Amino acid sequence: MRTGRPTLADVAARAGVSTALASIVMREAPGASAATRRRVLEVAAQLGYHPDSRARLLRSGRSRLLGVVFGVQHAYHGDLVTGLYEAAEDLKYELTLSAVTDRRDERTAINSLLSDRCEALIILGPQSSTAELAALAARIPVVGVGRGLRHHALDVVRNDDVLGLHLAVDHLVGLGHRRIVHIDGGRIPGAAERRRGYQEAMRRHGLDTGVRVLPGGPTGEDGAAATAGLLADPPTAITAFNDLAATGVLDALRRAGLTVPGDVSVIGFDDSRLARLTYLDLTTIAQDTAEMTTLAVGRAIDRIEGTVVSRRELVIPPHLVVRGTTASPPR
């Protein structure tokens, strides 16, 4: 008895037609009568047969497959992947994913996608050097999301991170805050721009002497560790590198007996799913996920199809989302 995956030949034999005629039916091509189509489709349903569209595309020299590299440690990457799936589906492309973890580096993640015969790569928060990515782009179109890459061979779709911190600081200053600290993202893509945006906005508001950047990172543990150094003399407001780091800030403050936003206001960055959780209700800077992912998929397909593009880098403005973690400072 056959126990493997049913094949087109199995369907044809059960339906009493040739494999070629069964193929015509499954491809919805002309050349089969209505009765034959009905019989073949009924048999396919009974056997649980599904056409392998990817194999057919590969035989034609195409895969219509976009490889996506993402980091499991970044909550916001989950939102980006969701948006990429929707954008790719609209354009009749499929995604295959490869994760970067603590034990699996970006090079390994990229190489696994190359073996899948992807037609282009979309790398979220790329960590490889510009030279490495440019060398990769000589083999396959590469779109970086979330990091500025200065090379003519590389396409970029990114958020305006500098503007994001301008919005955060402007919001806090508008509430009356003057002692505002920024918890940095270290060497994570976008961190340098967010740090610069914080510094520029503080100076624009005449708060040069109050500029204070603490070493941090992208995780809740990073946010909590940075906040621990502030508890002896806490500021009235903290901007965190991202929403996940902000959760660590909130936890450290509350464990120390400080209220948010009563004693300290907190702003995250990304408007990830974490920020929207009711019990966090985090004020944050929202990236336009739908726009960024649509543009990233569109640019990848442009490169695949040889379409001439006018701009190598696409920069999308963010916006402020005010929730329950910011308020006027205590008197």
Side-chain angles (χ1 to χ4, degrees), residues 21-233:
L21 188 54
S23 175
I24 286 173
V25 174
M26 301 311 298
R27 289 185 288 110
E28 300 182 358
S33 69
T36 297
R37 288 185 185 278
R38 184 166 54 250
R39 185 166 69 257
V40 169
L41 292 174
E42 287 174 354
V43 169
Q46 292 167 5
L47 295 179
Y49 170 79
H50 299 283
D52 190 342
S53 58
R54 186 170 297 176
R56 186 170 65 248
L57 284 168
L58 287 173
R59 286 194 295 271
S60 71
R62 295 290 308 274
S63 69
R64 297 191 73 84
L65 195 62
L66 305 177
V68 177
V69 175
F70 69 103
V72 296
Q73 71 272 38
H74 300 299
Y76 182 58
H77 282 194
D79 293 345
L80 287 172
V81 168
T82 299
L84 289 171
Y85 267 115
E86 294 172 353
E89 184 177 1
D90 288 343
L91 296 170
K92 309 303 181 187
Y93 274 75
E94 294 184 25
L95 301 186
T96 185
L97 307 181
S98 190
V100 176
T101 71
D102 291 339
R103 298 183 180 181
R104 189 173 192 260
D105 62 18
E106 188 171 274
R107 181 176 298 176
T108 301
I110 289 171
N111 287 338
S112 72
L113 293 176
L114 294 177
S115 65
D116 281 344
R117 296 186 64 177
C118 298
E119 295 193 51
L121 297 183
I122 298 174
I123 306 178
L124 307 185
Q127 301 170 15
S128 303
S129 70
T130 300
E132 289 173 324
L133 294 171
L136 178 64
R139 303 168 56 189
I140 185 173
V142 175
V143 179
V145 178
R147 172 187 164 192
L149 298 166
R150 296 183 178 279
H151 195 282
H152 64 86
L154 300 170
D155 289 291
V156 173
V157 178
R158 66 175 180 87
N159 178 69
D160 190 337
D161 292 299
V162 172
L163 174 59
L165 259 295
H166 286 181
L167 296 174
V169 173
D170 290 350
H171 171 63
L172 293 170
V173 171
L175 291 171
H177 293 274
R178 295 296 180 271
R179 298 180 61 211
I180 305 168
V181 169
H182 178 64
I183 295 179
D184 192 26
R187 300 180 65 182
I188 300 297
E193 290 76 13
R194 295 177 194 183
R195 180 170 60 247
R196 177 159 61 88
Y198 159 78
Q199 294 166 335
E200 288 178 357
M202 290 288 284
R203 291 173 181 137
R204 176 162 45 81
H205 287 290
L207 302 174
D208 306 55
T209 58
V211 172
R212 187 178 181 188
V213 178
L214 295 183
T219 70
E221 290 81 1
D222 293 324
T227 304
L230 297 171
L231 296 176
D233 183 23

